[in-house]
Amino acid sequence: SQKIEQNSEALNIQEGKTATLTCNYTNYSPAYLQWYRQDPGRGPVFLLLIRENEKEKRKERLKVTFDTTLKQSLFHITASQPADSATYLCAPPNSGGYQKVTFGTGTKLQVIP
Amino acid sequence: EAQVTQNPRYLITVTGKKLTVTCSQNMNHEYMSWYRQDPGLGLRQIYYSMNVEVTDKGDVPEGYKVSRKEKRNFPLILESPSPNQTSLYFCASSRRQDNSPLHFGNGTRLTVT
């Protein structure tokens, strides 16, 4: 069955460094993948979408890569700030289509001042 | 302001007492969905709706009902709540097309005793 794995439950990083979060998927090949940010007790907020034919996507300090050979997406936050502390979720649609988006369990990022 | 509104934000109830969690969106989105979020399990889809009067099961539909009589509203109904339905619930909406990001409400924290 389809599986999404995000690296570790928590990632602590020093302010100003680049944070790299990993999303691995198995047993299927999504046509695109979305990344969301979730703050405690709040709903996820959409950040970026990357399609299978795009190697890299950028938005301000955020960068997402999509390697269909490795079945992996990497999410980078450069010059990280304490305000970036949150849980980040990757979300590819499952093989049933976009109607059934499947979310990873998320990686909690803590940026230390 | 474009938003998805869920009510109530917090709800404590007893086993077997029927309840409804409301969800409303003001973006004229065709697609709406309900998720529950539990520690270690991430977001899991309960039901979704492609349009008015069109609903379908997600990954964990047991014990839940939904209806979509109007485009803007998508209530979640628990006919006979049980303690294992204690969770954080999110409603989401999007345009009905591939790649469209999901817009989430702020969640409803339900406790069933």
Side-chain angles (χ1 to χ4, degrees), chain A residues 30-74:
Chain A
Y32 63 89
L33 191 147
Q34 300 179 0
W35 282 88
Y36 290 78
R37 168 184 171 139
Q38 185 175 24
D39 292 288
R42 306 297 295 271
V45 175
F46 171 76
L47 295 175
L48 278 169
L49 179 148
I50 186 164
R51 296 177 178 80
E52 61 181 341
N53 61 349
E54 297 174 319
K55 296 295 181 195
E56 181 180 297
K57 198 81 167 278
R58 290 176 185 263
K59 178 182 176 182
E60 298 172 353
R61 293 183 297 108
L62 308 180
K63 184 178 86 171
V64 174
T65 63
F66 196 6
D67 189 325
T68 55
T69 302
L70 292 178
K71 292 188 179 290
Q72 181 181 81
S73 176
L74 298 179

Short mmCIF file of all heavy atoms in Angstrom, two decimals, chain A residues 30-74:
data_model
loop_
_atom_site.label_atom_id
_atom_site.label_comp_id
_atom_site.label_asym_id
_atom_site.label_seq_id
_atom_site.Cartn_x
_atom_site.Cartn_y
_atom_site.Cartn_z
N PRO A 30 3.25 9.82 -7.31
CA PRO A 30 2.35 10.98 -7.41
C PRO A 30 2.79 11.95 -8.49
O PRO A 30 3.97 12.13 -8.75
CB PRO A 30 2.45 11.61 -6.02
CG PRO A 30 3.77 11.19 -5.49
CD PRO A 30 4.02 9.82 -6.05
N ALA A 31 1.82 12.58 -9.12
CA ALA A 31 2.11 13.55 -10.17
C ALA A 31 2.58 14.88 -9.59
O ALA A 31 3.15 15.70 -10.30
CB ALA A 31 0.88 13.76 -11.03
N TYR A 32 2.30 15.12 -8.33
CA TYR A 32 2.75 16.34 -7.67
C TYR A 32 2.75 16.10 -6.17
O TYR A 32 2.28 15.07 -5.68
CB TYR A 32 1.84 17.53 -8.03
CG TYR A 32 0.41 17.38 -7.58
CD1 TYR A 32 0.00 17.81 -6.32
CD2 TYR A 32 -0.55 16.79 -8.42
CE1 TYR A 32 -1.31 17.66 -5.91
CE2 TYR A 32 -1.86 16.65 -8.01
CZ TYR A 32 -2.24 17.08 -6.75
OH TYR A 32 -3.54 16.93 -6.34
N LEU A 33 3.28 17.06 -5.47
CA LEU A 33 3.36 16.94 -4.01
C LEU A 33 3.23 18.35 -3.42
O LEU A 33 3.80 19.30 -3.94
CB LEU A 33 4.69 16.30 -3.64
CG LEU A 33 4.90 15.83 -2.21
CD1 LEU A 33 5.80 14.60 -2.21
CD2 LEU A 33 5.51 16.91 -1.36
N GLN A 34 2.46 18.44 -2.36
CA GLN A 34 2.28 19.73 -1.69
C GLN A 34 2.95 19.71 -0.33
O GLN A 34 3.07 18.65 0.30
CB GLN A 34 0.77 20.01 -1.50
CG GLN A 34 -0.01 20.06 -2.80
CD GLN A 34 -1.49 20.30 -2.57
OE1 GLN A 34 -1.95 20.43 -1.44
NE2 GLN A 34 -2.25 20.40 -3.64
N TRP A 35 3.37 20.88 0.11
CA TRP A 35 3.91 21.04 1.46
C TRP A 35 3.05 22.05 2.22
O TRP A 35 2.67 23.09 1.66
CB TRP A 35 5.35 21.52 1.41
CG TRP A 35 6.33 20.43 1.10
CD1 TRP A 35 6.74 20.02 -0.13
CD2 TRP A 35 7.02 19.62 2.05
NE1 TRP A 35 7.63 18.98 -0.02
CE2 TRP A 35 7.83 18.72 1.31
CE3 TRP A 35 7.06 19.54 3.44
CZ2 TRP A 35 8.66 17.77 1.92
CZ3 TRP A 35 7.87 18.61 4.05
CH2 TRP A 35 8.66 17.73 3.29
N TYR A 36 2.77 21.72 3.48
CA TYR A 36 1.96 22.56 4.34
C TYR A 36 2.71 22.84 5.65
O TYR A 36 3.53 22.04 6.10
CB TYR A 36 0.63 21.86 4.70
CG TYR A 36 -0.35 21.74 3.55
CD1 TYR A 36 -0.17 20.76 2.57
CD2 TYR A 36 -1.44 22.60 3.45
CE1 TYR A 36 -1.07 20.65 1.51
CE2 TYR A 36 -2.34 22.49 2.41
CZ TYR A 36 -2.15 21.51 1.45
OH TYR A 36 -3.04 21.40 0.41
N ARG A 37 2.34 23.96 6.26
CA ARG A 37 2.85 24.30 7.58
C ARG A 37 1.69 24.23 8.56
O ARG A 37 0.58 24.70 8.26
CB ARG A 37 3.43 25.72 7.58
CG ARG A 37 3.72 26.25 8.97
CD ARG A 37 4.18 27.67 8.95
NE ARG A 37 4.25 28.18 10.31
CZ ARG A 37 5.23 28.95 10.77
NH1 ARG A 37 6.20 29.35 9.96
NH2 ARG A 37 5.22 29.36 12.03
N GLN A 38 1.94 23.66 9.74
CA GLN A 38 0.90 23.61 10.76
C GLN A 38 1.45 24.10 12.10
O GLN A 38 2.45 23.58 12.60
CB GLN A 38 0.34 22.18 10.92
CG GLN A 38 -0.83 22.12 11.88
CD GLN A 38 -1.48 20.75 11.96
OE1 GLN A 38 -0.85 19.74 11.68
NE2 GLN A 38 -2.75 20.71 12.35
N ASP A 39 0.79 25.09 12.65
CA ASP A 39 1.11 25.58 13.98
C ASP A 39 0.23 24.86 14.99
O ASP A 39 -0.87 24.40 14.66
CB ASP A 39 0.92 27.09 14.03
CG ASP A 39 1.93 27.81 13.18
OD1 ASP A 39 3.11 27.83 13.60
OD2 ASP A 39 1.58 28.33 12.11
N PRO A 40 0.68 24.77 16.26
CA PRO A 40 -0.07 24.00 17.26
C PRO A 40 -1.52 24.44 17.37
O PRO A 40 -1.82 25.63 17.49
CB PRO A 40 0.70 24.30 18.56
CG PRO A 40 2.08 24.59 18.11
CD PRO A 40 1.95 25.31 16.80
N GLY A 41 -2.43 23.48 17.28
CA GLY A 41 -3.84 23.74 17.44
C GLY A 41 -4.49 24.45 16.27
O GLY A 41 -5.67 24.82 16.34
N ARG A 42 -3.77 24.62 15.17
CA ARG A 42 -4.32 25.32 14.01
C ARG A 42 -4.36 24.38 12.81
O ARG A 42 -3.69 23.35 12.76
CB ARG A 42 -3.45 26.54 13.66
CG ARG A 42 -3.22 27.50 14.79
CD ARG A 42 -4.50 28.14 15.28
NE ARG A 42 -5.13 28.99 14.30
CZ ARG A 42 -4.86 30.29 14.15
NH1 ARG A 42 -3.97 30.86 14.91
NH2 ARG A 42 -5.51 30.97 13.23
N GLY A 43 -5.13 24.77 11.81
CA GLY A 43 -5.18 23.98 10.59
C GLY A 43 -3.94 24.19 9.74
O GLY A 43 -3.30 25.23 9.80
N PRO A 44 -3.58 23.18 8.94
CA PRO A 44 -2.42 23.32 8.04
C PRO A 44 -2.64 24.46 7.04
O PRO A 44 -3.77 24.73 6.63
CB PRO A 44 -2.37 21.97 7.32
CG PRO A 44 -3.09 21.02 8.23
CD PRO A 44 -4.16 21.82 8.87
N VAL A 45 -1.54 25.08 6.67
CA VAL A 45 -1.57 26.17 5.69
C VAL A 45 -0.67 25.79 4.52
O VAL A 45 0.48 25.40 4.70
CB VAL A 45 -1.08 27.49 6.32
CG1 VAL A 45 -1.00 28.59 5.26
CG2 VAL A 45 -2.03 27.92 7.44
N PHE A 46 -1.20 25.90 3.31
CA PHE A 46 -0.46 25.53 2.11
C PHE A 46 0.75 26.45 1.90
O PHE A 46 0.66 27.67 2.06
CB PHE A 46 -1.39 25.63 0.90
CG PHE A 46 -0.70 25.47 -0.42
CD1 PHE A 46 -0.30 24.22 -0.85
CD2 PHE A 46 -0.45 26.56 -1.23
CE1 PHE A 46 0.33 24.06 -2.08
CE2 PHE A 46 0.17 26.43 -2.45
CZ PHE A 46 0.57 25.18 -2.87
N LEU A 47 1.89 25.81 1.53
CA LEU A 47 3.10 26.58 1.25
C LEU A 47 3.52 26.49 -0.21
O LEU A 47 3.68 27.51 -0.88
CB LEU A 47 4.25 26.05 2.13
CG LEU A 47 4.10 26.24 3.64
CD1 LEU A 47 5.24 25.56 4.37
CD2 LEU A 47 4.04 27.72 4.01
N LEU A 48 3.73 25.27 -0.68
CA LEU A 48 4.30 25.08 -2.01
C LEU A 48 3.77 23.81 -2.63
O LEU A 48 3.48 22.84 -1.93
CB LEU A 48 5.82 24.97 -1.95
CG LEU A 48 6.65 26.26 -1.88
CD1 LEU A 48 8.09 25.91 -1.56
CD2 LEU A 48 6.56 27.03 -3.19
N LEU A 49 3.71 23.81 -3.96
CA LEU A 49 3.39 22.61 -4.72
C LEU A 49 4.48 22.40 -5.75
O LEU A 49 4.93 23.35 -6.39
CB LEU A 49 2.03 22.78 -5.41
CG LEU A 49 1.54 21.62 -6.29
CD1 LEU A 49 0.02 21.54 -6.23
CD2 LEU A 49 2.00 21.76 -7.74
N ILE A 50 4.90 21.16 -5.93
CA ILE A 50 5.89 20.84 -6.96
C ILE A 50 5.36 19.67 -7.78
O ILE A 50 4.82 18.70 -7.24
CB ILE A 50 7.27 20.53 -6.33
CG1 ILE A 50 8.32 20.35 -7.43
CG2 ILE A 50 7.21 19.34 -5.38
CD1 ILE A 50 9.74 20.42 -6.91
N ARG A 51 5.50 19.78 -9.10
CA ARG A 51 5.02 18.75 -10.00
C ARG A 51 6.14 17.78 -10.35
O ARG A 51 7.33 18.10 -10.21
CB ARG A 51 4.45 19.37 -11.28
CG ARG A 51 3.23 20.22 -11.03
CD ARG A 51 2.72 20.90 -12.31
NE ARG A 51 1.52 21.67 -12.07
CZ ARG A 51 1.50 22.88 -11.54
NH1 ARG A 51 2.61 23.47 -11.19
NH2 ARG A 51 0.35 23.51 -11.36
N GLU A 52 5.79 16.62 -10.85
CA GLU A 52 6.80 15.58 -11.10
C GLU A 52 7.81 15.99 -12.16
O GLU A 52 8.93 15.49 -12.18
CB GLU A 52 6.12 14.27 -11.50
CG GLU A 52 5.29 14.35 -12.76
CD GLU A 52 4.64 13.02 -13.09
OE1 GLU A 52 5.08 11.97 -12.59
OE2 GLU A 52 3.65 13.03 -13.85
N ASN A 53 7.43 16.91 -13.04
CA ASN A 53 8.37 17.34 -14.09
C ASN A 53 9.19 18.57 -13.67
O ASN A 53 9.95 19.12 -14.47
CB ASN A 53 7.63 17.62 -15.39
CG ASN A 53 6.61 18.74 -15.25
OD1 ASN A 53 6.32 19.17 -14.14
ND2 ASN A 53 6.07 19.19 -16.36
N GLU A 54 9.03 18.98 -12.42
CA GLU A 54 9.81 20.09 -11.88
C GLU A 54 10.83 19.54 -10.90
O GLU A 54 10.48 18.82 -9.98
CB GLU A 54 8.90 21.09 -11.16
CG GLU A 54 7.86 21.75 -12.06
CD GLU A 54 6.89 22.62 -11.27
OE1 GLU A 54 6.45 22.19 -10.17
OE2 GLU A 54 6.56 23.72 -11.76
N LYS A 55 12.05 19.89 -11.09
CA LYS A 55 13.09 19.41 -10.17
C LYS A 55 13.12 20.23 -8.90
O LYS A 55 13.45 19.73 -7.82
CB LYS A 55 14.45 19.47 -10.86
CG LYS A 55 14.58 18.55 -12.05
CD LYS A 55 14.48 17.10 -11.64
CE LYS A 55 14.64 16.20 -12.84
NZ LYS A 55 14.21 14.82 -12.56
N GLU A 56 12.78 21.51 -9.03
CA GLU A 56 12.95 22.42 -7.90
C GLU A 56 11.92 23.54 -7.99
O GLU A 56 11.54 23.97 -9.08
CB GLU A 56 14.37 23.00 -7.97
CG GLU A 56 14.74 23.94 -6.87
CD GLU A 56 16.15 24.45 -7.05
OE1 GLU A 56 17.10 23.64 -7.01
OE2 GLU A 56 16.32 25.69 -7.23
N LYS A 57 11.46 24.00 -6.84
CA LYS A 57 10.52 25.13 -6.78
C LYS A 57 10.94 26.01 -5.62
O LYS A 57 11.30 25.51 -4.54
CB LYS A 57 9.11 24.59 -6.53
CG LYS A 57 7.97 25.53 -6.85
CD LYS A 57 7.69 25.52 -8.31
CE LYS A 57 6.39 26.20 -8.64
NZ LYS A 57 5.22 25.32 -8.44
N ARG A 58 10.87 27.32 -5.83
CA ARG A 58 11.30 28.25 -4.78
C ARG A 58 10.21 29.27 -4.48
O ARG A 58 9.45 29.67 -5.36
CB ARG A 58 12.56 29.00 -5.20
CG ARG A 58 13.81 28.16 -5.26
CD ARG A 58 14.99 28.99 -5.78
NE ARG A 58 16.17 28.16 -5.96
CZ ARG A 58 17.15 28.07 -5.05
NH1 ARG A 58 17.10 28.77 -3.94
NH2 ARG A 58 18.19 27.29 -5.28
N LYS A 59 10.18 29.69 -3.22
CA LYS A 59 9.29 30.78 -2.81
C LYS A 59 9.96 31.46 -1.62
O LYS A 59 10.02 30.91 -0.53
CB LYS A 59 7.92 30.24 -2.41
CG LYS A 59 6.95 31.29 -1.94
CD LYS A 59 5.63 30.66 -1.51
CE LYS A 59 4.68 31.69 -0.95
NZ LYS A 59 3.41 31.06 -0.49
N GLU A 60 10.52 32.64 -1.88
CA GLU A 60 11.21 33.39 -0.83
C GLU A 60 12.31 32.51 -0.21
O GLU A 60 13.20 32.05 -0.92
CB GLU A 60 10.21 33.91 0.20
CG GLU A 60 9.21 34.87 -0.43
CD GLU A 60 8.07 35.26 0.50
OE1 GLU A 60 7.97 34.70 1.60
OE2 GLU A 60 7.29 36.14 0.11
N ARG A 61 12.26 32.23 1.07
CA ARG A 61 13.32 31.43 1.70
C ARG A 61 13.05 29.92 1.62
O ARG A 61 13.80 29.12 2.17
CB ARG A 61 13.46 31.85 3.17
CG ARG A 61 13.99 33.26 3.36
CD ARG A 61 14.20 33.60 4.84
NE ARG A 61 12.95 33.59 5.59
CZ ARG A 61 12.62 32.66 6.49
NH1 ARG A 61 13.45 31.66 6.76
NH2 ARG A 61 11.48 32.73 7.14
N LEU A 62 12.00 29.54 0.95
CA LEU A 62 11.63 28.13 0.86
C LEU A 62 12.06 27.55 -0.47
O LEU A 62 11.99 28.21 -1.50
CB LEU A 62 10.12 27.96 1.02
CG LEU A 62 9.46 28.62 2.23
CD1 LEU A 62 7.95 28.33 2.21
CD2 LEU A 62 10.09 28.14 3.51
N LYS A 63 12.50 26.30 -0.43
CA LYS A 63 12.84 25.58 -1.65
C LYS A 63 12.41 24.12 -1.51
O LYS A 63 12.63 23.50 -0.47
CB LYS A 63 14.34 25.62 -1.93
CG LYS A 63 14.73 24.97 -3.26
CD LYS A 63 16.24 25.06 -3.51
CE LYS A 63 16.98 23.94 -2.86
NZ LYS A 63 18.42 23.88 -3.28
N VAL A 64 11.77 23.62 -2.54
CA VAL A 64 11.33 22.22 -2.54
C VAL A 64 11.94 21.53 -3.75
O VAL A 64 11.99 22.10 -4.85
CB VAL A 64 9.79 22.13 -2.62
CG1 VAL A 64 9.36 20.67 -2.78
CG2 VAL A 64 9.15 22.72 -1.39
N THR A 65 12.40 20.32 -3.56
CA THR A 65 12.87 19.49 -4.66
C THR A 65 12.04 18.22 -4.72
O THR A 65 11.43 17.81 -3.71
CB THR A 65 14.35 19.14 -4.53
OG1 THR A 65 14.54 18.36 -3.32
CG2 THR A 65 15.21 20.39 -4.47
N PHE A 66 12.03 17.60 -5.90
CA PHE A 66 11.21 16.42 -6.12
C PHE A 66 12.02 15.45 -6.97
O PHE A 66 12.28 15.73 -8.14
CB PHE A 66 9.93 16.84 -6.85
CG PHE A 66 8.81 15.84 -6.84
CD1 PHE A 66 8.86 14.66 -6.12
CD2 PHE A 66 7.65 16.09 -7.57
CE1 PHE A 66 7.80 13.77 -6.11
CE2 PHE A 66 6.57 15.20 -7.56
CZ PHE A 66 6.65 14.05 -6.83
N ASP A 67 12.43 14.36 -6.37
CA ASP A 67 13.23 13.37 -7.09
C ASP A 67 12.39 12.12 -7.27
O ASP A 67 12.23 11.33 -6.33
CB ASP A 67 14.51 13.06 -6.30
CG ASP A 67 15.50 12.22 -7.08
OD1 ASP A 67 15.05 11.34 -7.86
OD2 ASP A 67 16.71 12.43 -6.92
N THR A 68 11.87 11.94 -8.48
CA THR A 68 10.96 10.81 -8.72
C THR A 68 11.71 9.48 -8.77
O THR A 68 11.10 8.43 -8.59
CB THR A 68 10.17 11.01 -10.02
OG1 THR A 68 11.10 11.24 -11.09
CG2 THR A 68 9.24 12.21 -9.92
N THR A 69 13.02 9.54 -9.00
CA THR A 69 13.81 8.30 -9.00
C THR A 69 14.01 7.81 -7.58
O THR A 69 13.83 6.62 -7.28
CB THR A 69 15.18 8.54 -9.66
OG1 THR A 69 14.98 9.02 -10.99
CG2 THR A 69 16.00 7.26 -9.70
N LEU A 70 14.35 8.73 -6.69
CA LEU A 70 14.53 8.38 -5.28
C LEU A 70 13.20 8.29 -4.53
O LEU A 70 13.15 7.82 -3.40
CB LEU A 70 15.41 9.42 -4.59
CG LEU A 70 16.87 9.47 -5.01
CD1 LEU A 70 17.59 10.60 -4.26
CD2 LEU A 70 17.57 8.14 -4.73
N LYS A 71 12.14 8.76 -5.17
CA LYS A 71 10.82 8.84 -4.53
C LYS A 71 10.91 9.68 -3.25
O LYS A 71 10.52 9.24 -2.15
CB LYS A 71 10.26 7.45 -4.23
CG LYS A 71 9.90 6.66 -5.48
CD LYS A 71 9.19 5.37 -5.14
CE LYS A 71 8.80 4.59 -6.37
NZ LYS A 71 7.73 5.24 -7.14
N GLN A 72 11.41 10.88 -3.45
CA GLN A 72 11.68 11.73 -2.30
C GLN A 72 11.50 13.19 -2.66
O GLN A 72 11.81 13.64 -3.76
CB GLN A 72 13.14 11.50 -1.86
CG GLN A 72 13.58 12.31 -0.65
CD GLN A 72 15.03 12.02 -0.31
OE1 GLN A 72 15.96 12.57 -0.92
NE2 GLN A 72 15.23 11.18 0.68
N SER A 73 11.00 13.95 -1.67
CA SER A 73 10.94 15.40 -1.79
C SER A 73 11.68 15.99 -0.59
O SER A 73 11.53 15.50 0.54
CB SER A 73 9.50 15.89 -1.80
OG SER A 73 9.45 17.30 -1.83
N LEU A 74 12.48 17.01 -0.86
CA LEU A 74 13.18 17.72 0.21
C LEU A 74 12.63 19.13 0.30
O LEU A 74 12.38 19.79 -0.72
CB LEU A 74 14.68 17.78 -0.07
CG LEU A 74 15.41 16.45 -0.13
CD1 LEU A 74 16.90 16.67 -0.44
CD2 LEU A 74 15.26 15.67 1.16
#
